[in-house]
Amino acid sequence: MEKLLEVKDLTVSFDTYGGKVQAVRGVNFDLYKGETLAIVGESGSGKSVTTKALMGLIPSPPGNIEKGEILFDGKNLAKLSEKEMTKIRGKDISMIFQDPMTSLNPTMKIGNQIMEGLIKHQRMNRTDAKKRAIELLELVGIPNAQERIKQYPHQFSGGMRQRVVIAISLACNPKILIADEPTTALDVTIQAQILDLMKDLQKKTEASIIFITHDLGVVANVADRVAVMYAGKIVEIGTVDDIFYNPKHPYTWGLLGSMPTLDNTEEELVAIPGSPPDLINPPKGDAFAPRNPYALKIDLEQEPPMFKVSDTHYAATWLLHEHAPDVEPPESVKRRMKGFAKTGTAPGVDEKKGDES
């Protein structure tokens, strides 16, 4: 597969009154053409900061890309000026944000908001841009596009507004589409529609997608590969099958154990004890160790490297060391893994479709 993006040792910090927050601490991953990579983890794990760094949206000050490379199309995006990033942002790399109402300008008609990028990046005249904007609204499933292009955001439902945001993000045929929890603000039936839409559009446009979410159920339905983040680091990365059928990091076990399943309605969900560490003073060793019931003595002293599980699967846990004790996932996780195997997939959002207006 063709490698489209390569992130090497990305480190991002923020200066605050309390000290320097080390939000992203040496993140590495690749993105291939036409694939969907999901990045999952708790709030504050560094998911959104990582993707905003890819877009050149880290405010400086207080933010700072301390080191690392973001290699795309022969350029290191981490070293580009704002003027240079403006030529890439929206054209080659585009982003769908979490809340469509704050993404759209309430004082501008929908059509003008879609046409902006077409006129700026594609050098279209207004007539051609309007025609393309109507085509984009039809592509994302908005009926009566010729009329609705004249309307304002408040005249659309939440699901329809998110479709408009997706149309804007696709306007310039980007190579990479970053979706930052695009369904969080929507009800569960509309979530299913938006996820189906994104999968369908990816087949038509061949764009690569980075999908940010805290919901592993969503991941199972949209992703090809999954990167699990904790305390500013990727602690496990692999295919969807690797993560759901053969997870290796205790944090991934915790995330899977806290997932509700349709066939275990009476089983109590298992919460991960404790809370994420203070990234002003990150702990020595493995950051997850204080919350990890399987932590070894070395976890408190030395940070684990990425151990290779297979050609597609890597995890940063000392439990994979050849001299580590043999520890298996907890029973709650094993039951979920069996449930995934029985149904052929992990539980996702409700597949029932609802109406939008």
Side-chain angles (χ1 to χ4, degrees):
M1 293 176 69
E2 180 186 343
K3 189 182 295 184
L4 202 58
L5 180 76
E6 191 173 0
V7 177
K8 296 181 177 180
D9 197 26
L10 180 63
T11 302
V12 183
S13 65
F14 292 88
D15 293 319
T16 70
Y17 290 115
K20 184 164 72 174
V21 177
Q22 299 175 45
V24 175
R25 306 184 297 140
V27 162
N28 298 276
F29 66 87
D30 301 326
L31 180 69
Y32 296 91
K33 185 175 180 179
E35 81 160 343
T36 297
L37 172 68
I39 303 179
V40 303
E42 292 169 281
S43 296
S45 61
K47 308 183 302 293
S48 293
V49 173
T50 297
T51 51
K52 284 177 181 175
L54 307 185
M55 291 285 290
L57 294 177
I58 300 295
S60 180
N64 180 39
I65 297 179
E66 293 190 1
K67 63 177 180 176
E69 295 179 308
I70 304 168
L71 304 177
F72 170 76
D73 203 19
K75 304 181 185 74
N76 180 7
L77 304 187
K79 300 295 183 183
L80 297 188
S81 66
E82 174 60 22
K83 185 176 181 181
E84 290 170 318
M85 277 303 301
T86 301
K87 295 177 182 178
I88 294 173
R89 193 186 300 131
K91 180 177 181 289
D92 294 316
I93 306 178
S94 195
M95 195 163 192
I96 304 168
F97 292 97
Q98 185 175 127
D99 186 354
M101 199 57 190
T102 57
S103 301
L104 297 170
N105 186 334
T107 67
M108 285 179 65
K109 292 179 180 178
I110 290 298
N112 290 333
Q113 298 191 53
I114 300 173
M115 290 162 59
E116 266 187 329
L118 295 168
I119 293 169
K120 179 177 176 59
H121 292 299
Q122 306 291 85
R123 306 295 182 192
M124 286 187 182
N125 58 46
R126 288 193 63 83
T127 301
D128 290 341
K130 182 178 179 180
K131 182 180 177 183
R132 178 59 177 155
I134 292 170
E135 291 174 354
L136 285 164
L137 285 184
E138 291 172 344
L139 181 67
V140 298
I142 293 183
N144 304 317
Q146 192 120 13
E147 294 302 315
R148 304 214 73 175
I149 202 170
K150 306 170 188 175
Q151 296 180 330
Y152 292 90
H154 73 270
Q155 295 174 278
F156 289 74
S157 68
M160 284 296 182
R161 283 195 291 265
Q162 194 62 293
R163 288 173 184 264
V164 171
V165 172
I166 293 172
I168 293 171
S169 70
L170 292 173
C172 298
N173 300 313
K175 296 176 182 176
I176 298 174
L177 187 60
I178 299 172
D180 188 359
E181 304 214 32
T183 61
T184 299
L186 306 174
D187 67 69
V188 70
T189 53
I190 306 306
Q191 279 186 32
Q193 293 181 4
I194 296 299
L195 294 173
D196 286 343
L197 171 65
M198 290 188 67
K199 286 190 288 186
D200 183 52
L201 290 175
Q202 185 180 35
K203 291 177 184 175
K204 292 177 181 177
T205 64
E206 296 185 337
S208 299
I209 297 176
I210 299 176
F211 197 99
I212 309 300
T213 184
H214 62 272
D215 187 341
L216 275 172
V218 169
V219 165
N221 285 324
V222 301
D224 300 302
R225 288 192 301 135
V226 181
V228 180
M229 282 194 78
Y230 183 77
K233 287 181 172 289
I234 291 178
V235 297
E236 185 163 8
I237 188 166
T239 65
V240 167
D241 285 354
D242 290 334
I243 299 302
F244 281 97
Y245 298 129
N246 190 30
K248 293 298 183 182
H249 198 285
Y251 179 60
T252 310
W253 297 348
L255 292 179
L256 290 169
S258 63
M259 280 179 63
T261 60
L262 296 177
D263 58 340
N264 285 317
T265 54
E266 296 180 3
E267 184 178 346
E268 185 177 346
L269 297 181
V270 181
I272 301 174
S275 57
D278 178 6
L279 292 182
I280 293 178
N281 296 298
K284 184 181 178 182
D286 185 350
F288 187 60
R291 307 174 69 186
N292 180 8
Y294 309 99
L296 306 173
K297 184 179 178 181
I298 193 173
D299 282 309
L300 301 172
E301 301 169 353
Q302 193 173 335
E303 188 177 307
M306 271 286 188
F307 288 95
K308 181 178 179 179
V309 181
S310 70
D311 288 341
T312 59
H313 191 187
Y314 295 81
T317 170
W318 286 115
L319 292 177
L320 291 174
H321 192 277
E322 59 182 344
H323 297 307
D326 187 15
V327 176
E328 294 188 348
E331 287 302 316
S332 60
V333 176
K334 286 184 178 180
R335 284 193 291 271
R336 280 163 175 75
M337 289 161 62
K338 287 179 182 176
F340 304 156
K342 185 168 64 177
T343 60
T345 182
V349 296
D350 191 341
E351 293 185 358
K352 294 178 182 178
K353 303 297 187 286
D355 294 329
E356 295 176 271
S357 63

mmCIF file of all heavy atoms in Angstrom, residues 44-60:
data_model
loop_
_atom_site.group_PDB
_atom_site.id
_atom_site.type_symbol
_atom_site.label_atom_id
_atom_site.label_comp_id
_atom_site.label_asym_id
_atom_site.label_seq_id
_atom_site.Cartn_x
_atom_site.Cartn_y
_atom_site.Cartn_z
ATOM 1 N N GLY A 44 -8.291 13.745 26.983
ATOM 2 C CA GLY A 44 -7.002 14.173 27.491
ATOM 3 C C GLY A 44 -5.845 13.268 27.118
ATOM 4 O O GLY A 44 -4.707 13.499 27.531
ATOM 5 N N SER A 45 -6.117 12.246 26.295
ATOM 6 C CA SER A 45 -5.037 11.313 25.926
ATOM 7 C C SER A 45 -4.140 11.850 24.819
ATOM 8 O O SER A 45 -3.079 11.282 24.555
ATOM 9 C CB SER A 45 -5.621 9.962 25.512
ATOM 10 O OG SER A 45 -6.463 10.101 24.383
ATOM 11 N N GLY A 46 -4.565 12.923 24.157
ATOM 12 C CA GLY A 46 -3.735 13.530 23.118
ATOM 13 C C GLY A 46 -4.228 13.305 21.704
ATOM 14 O O GLY A 46 -3.563 13.681 20.740
ATOM 15 N N LYS A 47 -5.423 12.721 21.549
ATOM 16 C CA LYS A 47 -5.952 12.400 20.215
ATOM 17 C C LYS A 47 -6.125 13.654 19.356
ATOM 18 O O LYS A 47 -5.584 13.744 18.247
ATOM 19 C CB LYS A 47 -7.308 11.686 20.335
ATOM 20 C CG LYS A 47 -7.331 10.498 21.257
ATOM 21 C CD LYS A 47 -8.688 9.819 21.268
ATOM 22 C CE LYS A 47 -9.844 10.710 21.679
ATOM 23 N NZ LYS A 47 -9.775 11.127 23.088
ATOM 24 N N SER A 48 -6.892 14.605 19.864
ATOM 25 C CA SER A 48 -7.196 15.804 19.078
ATOM 26 C C SER A 48 -5.972 16.686 18.884
ATOM 27 O O SER A 48 -5.797 17.289 17.815
ATOM 28 C CB SER A 48 -8.315 16.607 19.759
ATOM 29 O OG SER A 48 -9.530 15.892 19.729
ATOM 30 N N VAL A 49 -5.105 16.770 19.889
ATOM 31 C CA VAL A 49 -3.885 17.583 19.754
ATOM 32 C C VAL A 49 -3.006 17.016 18.644
ATOM 33 O O VAL A 49 -2.433 17.760 17.838
ATOM 34 C CB VAL A 49 -3.107 17.642 21.085
ATOM 35 C CG1 VAL A 49 -1.765 18.342 20.891
ATOM 36 C CG2 VAL A 49 -3.916 18.367 22.146
ATOM 37 N N THR A 50 -2.925 15.698 18.560
ATOM 38 C CA THR A 50 -2.134 15.056 17.510
ATOM 39 C C THR A 50 -2.638 15.453 16.128
ATOM 40 O O THR A 50 -1.865 15.854 15.253
ATOM 41 C CB THR A 50 -2.174 13.523 17.659
ATOM 42 O OG1 THR A 50 -1.583 13.157 18.907
ATOM 43 C CG2 THR A 50 -1.421 12.841 16.530
ATOM 44 N N THR A 51 -3.946 15.368 15.919
ATOM 45 C CA THR A 51 -4.490 15.660 14.594
ATOM 46 C C THR A 51 -4.472 17.159 14.294
ATOM 47 O O THR A 51 -4.301 17.557 13.139
ATOM 48 C CB THR A 51 -5.918 15.114 14.451
ATOM 49 O OG1 THR A 51 -6.719 15.548 15.563
ATOM 50 C CG2 THR A 51 -5.905 13.597 14.434
ATOM 51 N N LYS A 52 -4.620 17.992 15.312
ATOM 52 C CA LYS A 52 -4.514 19.437 15.073
ATOM 53 C C LYS A 52 -3.086 19.820 14.688
ATOM 54 O O LYS A 52 -2.871 20.759 13.914
ATOM 55 C CB LYS A 52 -4.984 20.206 16.302
ATOM 56 C CG LYS A 52 -6.504 20.214 16.440
ATOM 57 C CD LYS A 52 -6.980 20.918 17.692
ATOM 58 C CE LYS A 52 -8.505 20.873 17.772
ATOM 59 N NZ LYS A 52 -9.017 21.446 19.034
ATOM 60 N N ALA A 53 -2.118 19.075 15.206
ATOM 61 C CA ALA A 53 -0.726 19.310 14.788
ATOM 62 C C ALA A 53 -0.560 18.982 13.306
ATOM 63 O O ALA A 53 0.170 19.684 12.589
ATOM 64 C CB ALA A 53 0.220 18.456 15.634
ATOM 65 N N LEU A 54 -1.243 17.938 12.827
ATOM 66 C CA LEU A 54 -1.174 17.590 11.412
ATOM 67 C C LEU A 54 -1.732 18.709 10.540
ATOM 68 O O LEU A 54 -1.262 18.947 9.420
ATOM 69 C CB LEU A 54 -1.962 16.310 11.116
ATOM 70 C CG LEU A 54 -1.659 15.056 11.931
ATOM 71 C CD1 LEU A 54 -2.454 13.875 11.400
ATOM 72 C CD2 LEU A 54 -0.178 14.733 11.917
ATOM 73 N N MET A 55 -2.725 19.417 11.056
ATOM 74 C CA MET A 55 -3.380 20.495 10.317
ATOM 75 C C MET A 55 -2.707 21.845 10.505
ATOM 76 O O MET A 55 -3.123 22.837 9.904
ATOM 77 C CB MET A 55 -4.846 20.611 10.779
ATOM 78 C CG MET A 55 -5.729 19.455 10.366
ATOM 79 S SD MET A 55 -6.179 19.512 8.615
ATOM 80 C CE MET A 55 -7.299 20.914 8.596
ATOM 81 N N GLY A 56 -1.688 21.903 11.360
ATOM 82 C CA GLY A 56 -1.063 23.186 11.654
ATOM 83 C C GLY A 56 -1.950 24.091 12.472
ATOM 84 O O GLY A 56 -1.919 25.316 12.328
ATOM 85 N N LEU A 57 -2.763 23.493 13.365
ATOM 86 C CA LEU A 57 -3.730 24.259 14.158
ATOM 87 C C LEU A 57 -3.349 24.342 15.634
ATOM 88 O O LEU A 57 -4.193 24.623 16.472
ATOM 89 C CB LEU A 57 -5.125 23.637 14.015
ATOM 90 C CG LEU A 57 -5.751 23.712 12.622
ATOM 91 C CD1 LEU A 57 -7.094 22.985 12.591
ATOM 92 C CD2 LEU A 57 -5.935 25.163 12.190
ATOM 93 N N ILE A 58 -2.080 24.090 15.951
ATOM 94 C CA ILE A 58 -1.623 24.251 17.330
ATOM 95 C C ILE A 58 -1.308 25.731 17.547
ATOM 96 O O ILE A 58 -0.407 26.280 16.900
ATOM 97 C CB ILE A 58 -0.363 23.404 17.608
ATOM 98 C CG1 ILE A 58 -0.653 21.919 17.385
ATOM 99 C CG2 ILE A 58 0.152 23.648 19.025
ATOM 100 C CD1 ILE A 58 -1.656 21.312 18.318
ATOM 101 N N PRO A 59 -2.058 26.429 18.419
ATOM 102 C CA PRO A 59 -1.814 27.867 18.624
ATOM 103 C C PRO A 59 -0.478 28.111 19.312
ATOM 104 O O PRO A 59 -0.170 27.486 20.326
ATOM 105 C CB PRO A 59 -2.984 28.295 19.518
ATOM 106 C CG PRO A 59 -3.389 27.042 20.237
ATOM 107 C CD PRO A 59 -3.121 25.905 19.302
ATOM 108 N N SER A 60 0.321 28.986 18.741
ATOM 109 C CA SER A 60 1.643 29.268 19.316
ATOM 110 C C SER A 60 1.801 30.772 19.540
ATOM 111 O O SER A 60 1.795 31.545 18.569
ATOM 112 C CB SER A 60 2.737 28.789 18.366
ATOM 113 O OG SER A 60 4.028 29.050 18.889
#
